[in-house]
Amino acid sequence: MAVIALESLTKQYPGVTALDGLTLELEPGIIGLVGSNGAGKSTLLKILLGLIAPTSGRATVFDLDVQTRGTDIRQFVGYLPEHDALPPDTSATDFVSHMAEMSGLPRAAARERTAEVLRHVGLYEERYRAMGGYSTGMKQRVKLAQAIVHDPRLLLLDEPTNGLDPAGRDEMLELVRRTGTEFRMTVVVASHLLGEIERVCTYLVAIEGGRLLRAASLGSFTERTGVLAVEVEDGADGLAAALDERGLKARVMGRTVLVALDDERPYDLVRDLVAELGLPLVRLEQRRHQLEDLFRDGPTPDGDPASSGAPPRGTVP
Amino acid sequence: MTAEGPGVDGAPRPGNIYDLGYHSYDGPRLGRPQAIRALFAHTLKTCFGIGRGGRAKIAPVVLGGLATIPAIVAVGAFALLRQAIGTSDEIQQASPVQHDTYYAIVTIPVVLFCAAQAPEVLGRDQRHNLLALYFSRALRRVDYALARFAGVAAAILVFVLLPQLILLLGFVLSAEDIGTELGRELEAVPAIVGQALIIAGLLGGISAAVSAFTPRRVYATTAIIVLLAVTPIVSTVLIELGTTTLATLLVLLSPTDILEATNAWLFDTRPDSGAVRQSDLPLAAFGIAAAIISAACVAILVRRYTTIAA
């Protein structure tokens, strides 16, 4: 059963098309929704929640239309918004239990679940304090807690690691992974950070400019991600040109030449060429986390990667 | 969809083998009615600063005190005087604090209460981006608007009725003949409750509708005070100047004048306000004006929340 189904979903704002005929079916699992800022990730999540109405097309969650069955759907959906969304003068306990009641839980159950969920996200004594004094990490945990307090079947997380330091990011991602796998919730994690999303999800959806770039299981994405990075003191351009002559896709990024690794052939060839050209070799490594290249080249898998500019590391250009 | 379906695929979720303090929830899900109830109760509590820090309680406690103290003093003085002199009826009649005069006594506290607390409830949700969280839960935007309005109106109702209740109980318990006094007091109850409902609907509607348009508390509070306090001054000035037709229309838009007129209408007394008297309108017209303005405010509120971005 598809948890989420979209049929040529389109959302237009004056002057901007946020979603452009998106058609997609998503099965239960942990789904990464990747795209640059403004790609339409938040818009999609908000349409699924019924917060905004699509211009055309249809979206269903649990086979219910988001436009007409909003309240039925939302009883079983948790949402972590991208921006700060906590009243500073209220304690986490009061706030999360109020939100549980707002999802339809009886008062006693709401209080009980609040205690459990706040423990689950790692908030202890501080949960009785006003949230105005919380750190960003604690606030993010409360936002996750309010999203799962009513035990939803679908959890929509919009940039859950926003504003967190690296340790906080690791903890948040681990929480997301655990919540998704151990409690069998379908989780949609929207992020512009591929490296992060790759660590928690089993399925990836890439959107750009409101259009679907690719949707596939994580495995099929990473199969094609082999890239050999050759770092040289100088002469990177010469090496890239020589590789091109021999029919290999190569691209220069500063002092590094990136070579597509479709098979074993480039290893020997690079070794020979470096020796032949007498280049001062600094490093030779096989890189992972190159999903961004793939996304950009997604629609034209056989396109020449060298023709595009260097992508910023870790984000979709 | 059934309310109790536990898992994504309908199957019960497996027990959690790790003690993470998190378990799946298989209890009742009461949906939209529960969400509306919870939001109403939350609004009522927020209006009185319950469930929040000490600073949030200052305004409701001080204003509530100002509104209630006259009733307590009147009841106390009445009981003391009755013991000293004896004949209670004349003393009671002579007291300036009566059911029908109480609206005039609490006007300022109740206006300030609305101006302070409605922005507290409604502006807060916009200030802290809470609307996205509310609208993504088991209720509709219309439900949100109506539950918030009802909560604010209920808070005003409590605010206005509490001193009247003190007055009523005080008069009854300190009367020579409790039965007769109770009978007489109960006759006033429809007017007391009617006037309280009109106050709650009109002032609650205006202050909620104004507060819905800005996340900034200062702006909302100022706007509410201007609307409620400045309109009667304008209408009085216009009447002094002699432009009667305009003043007549304006007095029907002036909330505090309307409430004074409905008070006189319900308790069958003469209105104090010069503007109301000089307008020469039947007092029932003010009741109709109150109903129309309240309904218009609620409509504005609903419209605001069905179109606001979240």
Side-chain angles (χ1 to χ4, degrees), chain B residues 20-215:
Chain B
L20 298 163
Y22 185 95
H23 307 277
S24 63
Y25 174 74
D26 300 322
R29 292 180 189 262
L30 309 175
R32 193 170 155 221
Q34 167 68 359
I36 294 170
R37 251 195 318 270
L39 191 60
F40 170 78
H42 178 261
T43 312
L44 186 55
K45 282 195 278 183
T46 306
C47 281
F48 291 106
I50 301 167
R52 294 165 55 226
R55 278 178 61 197
K57 294 183 180 70
I58 296 173
V61 166
V62 169
L63 295 171
L66 286 177
T68 317
I69 286 167
I72 296 171
V73 170
V75 166
F78 172 60
L80 285 174
L81 282 173
R82 199 184 65 86
Q83 278 188 340
I85 308 170
T87 49
S88 67
D89 267 12
E90 284 122 56
I91 303 167
Q92 195 184 335
Q93 237 96 91
S95 165
V97 182
Q98 301 287 349
H99 293 306
D100 59 347
T101 58
Y102 215 89
Y103 166 68
I105 295 169
V106 297
T107 307
I108 291 171
V110 83
V111 164
L112 291 178
F113 180 76
C114 294
Q117 299 310 97
E120 191 63 35
V121 174
L122 291 150
R124 201 163 156 261
D125 289 349
Q126 293 182 46
R127 202 158 53 237
H128 305 303
N129 300 317
L130 292 174
L131 289 180
L133 290 186
Y134 278 117
F135 294 167
S136 60
R137 305 200 103 84
L139 82 174
R140 297 181 186 157
R141 285 171 174 237
V142 181
D143 301 336
Y144 172 88
L146 294 180
R148 281 294 195 212
F149 163 73
V152 170
I156 297 171
L157 211 55
V158 170
F159 192 94
V160 174
L161 283 180
L162 186 68
Q164 292 277 20
L165 184 70
I166 292 171
L167 215 52
L168 190 149
L169 290 178
F171 284 155
V172 169
L173 293 178
S174 57
E176 279 163 357
D177 181 355
I178 289 180
T180 323
E181 180 61 23
L182 184 63
R184 197 167 62 187
E185 290 289 322
L186 286 181
E187 278 174 26
V189 166
I192 293 170
V193 173
Q195 175 69 2
L197 285 172
I198 294 174
I199 294 172
L202 188 63
L203 298 189
I206 291 171
S207 48
V210 170
S211 308
F213 283 90
T214 170

